[in-house]
Amino acid sequence: MKIENTKAQMRKGVLEYCILLFIKDNELYPSEIISKLKESKLMVVEGTLYPLLTRLKNAGILTYRWEESTSGPPRKYYSLTPIGETFTNELSGTWKALEQAVTFAQKQSK
Amino acid sequence: MKKTLTINLGGLVFNIDDDAFVVLKNYLDTIKGYFDTSEGRDEIMTDIESRIAEMLTEKMNGGKEVINSNDISEIISVMGQPEDYIADDLDEEPKRQQSYSQQSNTNNSYSQQSSKRLFRDTEAGNIGGVCAGIGHYFGIDPIWFRMAFVLSVLFLGTGVFLYIILWIIMPEARTSAEKLSMRGEPVNFENIGKTVEEEMKNVKKKFSNYDSEGVNQTTETIKSGVHQVGNFLLSLFKFAFQAIGKILGFLFLIFGGLILFALVIGIFTPVDQIFFEAGGSEYGYSLIEISNLFFPSGLDFWLTIAGVILLIAIPLIALIFAGATMLFGVKPPKYTGIALAGVWILGIIITAIGGIRTSVEFKKDSSISEVVTLNEFPSDTIYLDIYNEKELNSGNKYRHNEREPFMIKDGILTIEDVEVNVLETNSDYPQLEIIKESNGRNYEEADERAENIDFITNIDSNTIYISPNFKVSSKDKWRNQSVQVNLYLPNGKTVFLPKSYKHIIYDIKNYHDTYDRNMVNMFWTMTDSGLISPEIMKRENSEFEVDQEFEKVEINIKADNEEHSIVIQ
């Protein structure tokens, strides 16, 4: 059992949830998502976002539309599907429960 | 000055210099290796490439014309090292991570040094990716190997056999590092030379590092000079050994493959089409016919055959494995050695079972003898001759040079294993003894078989006709049956051995110690000193310049002896 694995596991679940939260409010293209993630220090490198987005898209949670860009290749703008919205809401519920559980656990350990 | 390449990335055109291109390509290939086609690899790659293209466009806007390796390193640091992709990808099995990190340690991951190895390319392949893998290895379109395999299937399925072996020994390219080294630079002489050069450089570098730790400056330089020469020789030897290993591996593969090929043909040839030519015979005998005579049952035959095939084939397969390991550096699956050894031992056991079950049939031997006293024989001289059905039936001259060791016809086995001997007897009359011998599981069986031997002799006035062969029903099988004919001669009687007895008479003791094959076409007289040939006696006597009458020698043996002693004096 490596500490990195645990960290990565923790981060991974949260990462998906955060991405969904970002997209929920407005359409975003990957670079924008990345800059938000970087701000929140959830993601360090960009490359790993793409597999994640593709997976979410394949799962029917995200959808995208193409938009021409002046500074390079056309961009994919991602948005939530109806499924994605319910999914995000469910995750919000789960997150609350988790938050409570973790807070409780932390208090107990003090 | 550097070479520049033009690439299309995310639909945009970029000028990129050679070094940067290699780094970028390796980077993309490495990442590509982490994803399966099922999880949308192509889409992910397109997204990543688009993003890289976007970043490159930003850089180009600054008035740059060519992308260099610094740009690529910057982009990689933004996009993340290949390791980062793995760290975030926990769905992947941990094994992959391990093998990747191992590879990255030794191989410096996506750097330019990628040594080529033989892998199966299951993505590009049609069946097991064997041909695609070989194609990658030699840098040739796999279609040629596919065609070769399909063609070789026509040769009794050798292709299928070979393909399965290669499928087993060639590992699948799973990790990206493996995929990279699978696709690496083609193995050709130029590259081999390059590798050797690099290796020598490495050794030199290692040595200079070692030297820098040295204490004395002057000895250091001498040392390094000597060692550089030494290192050069060392790497030369290393390369020579590697080359010899490759050549040996190649030979192993070729020989193992060829013999195995022959064996496969042998296996697939219907057994009833295997014929043995009897010397000078117009008949051929099928393996089935012969094995039926030898093995107690069909089961024993197949056991023995299967066992022998395993005994031969397993070492050949091991040889092919060894060859492949030496030539391509592929390692056979973990338990191959044990499995092969196990099957080989199984082969020994099967052969032993078949062999023991068969040899038990030969355990006991028995003989029956029958003596005929020739008391009504008219003359003192007995003529021996060949009894031959053909001759008796058609009156044709017997052709004794057409001998066959055995013959099977209409369920009757004819064996030429008749021995004729001439011995002395105290009886007044000549005697003919016929001993029939056979082996069997027990004495009763051996006895019965001996009795079943159909052997013909015929006595006609002054001639004894002896058949050069005997017949056995093929139901009795071949159990080392033989016939021994002993002619017992009283003192003073003479026998004539015809020319046709050259191969029938066996080890007849005689006074002159003449070999069997020289005894034919002569009269032999039984005396107190054994069989004597008047003809040879005459020849020997004339050598001693003693003019001796023929009859005298024959009759007065004592006198003859005295004469000899005189000569010696």
Side-chain angles (χ1 to χ4, degrees), chain B residues 211 214-226:
Chain B
D211 271 351
V215 201
N216 196 317
Q217 273 286 334
T218 43
T219 52
E220 204 175 285
T221 43
I222 298 168
K223 244 191 198 168
S224 78
V226 171

Side-chain angles (χ1 to χ4, degrees), chain A residues 46-47 50 57 75-76, chain B residues 43 47 51 54 78-79 89:
Chain A
E46 292 188 13
Y50 297 97
K57 192 241 350 174
R75 291 166 171 173
K76 278 177 180 174
Chain B
E43 193 176 354
D47 288 348
R51 176 62 184 146
E54 201 173 39
V78 173
M79 294 300 286
D89 224 1

Side-chain angles (χ1 to χ4, degrees), chain B residues 490-527:
Chain B
N491 221 327
K493 298 271 185 191
T494 301
V495 64
F496 178 75
L497 300 175
K499 236 181 185 168
S500 51
Y501 268 46
K502 204 169 172 179
H503 301 286
I504 297 174
I505 54 175
Y506 182 75
D507 207 14
I508 300 181
K509 287 208 175 82
N510 62 80
Y511 177 73
H512 314 283
D513 283 337
T514 305
Y515 285 122
D516 294 330
R517 60 172 182 274
N518 295 328
M519 286 180 77
V520 293
N521 208 16
M522 277 182 194
F523 287 97
W524 290 86
T525 306
M526 187 56 77
T527 70

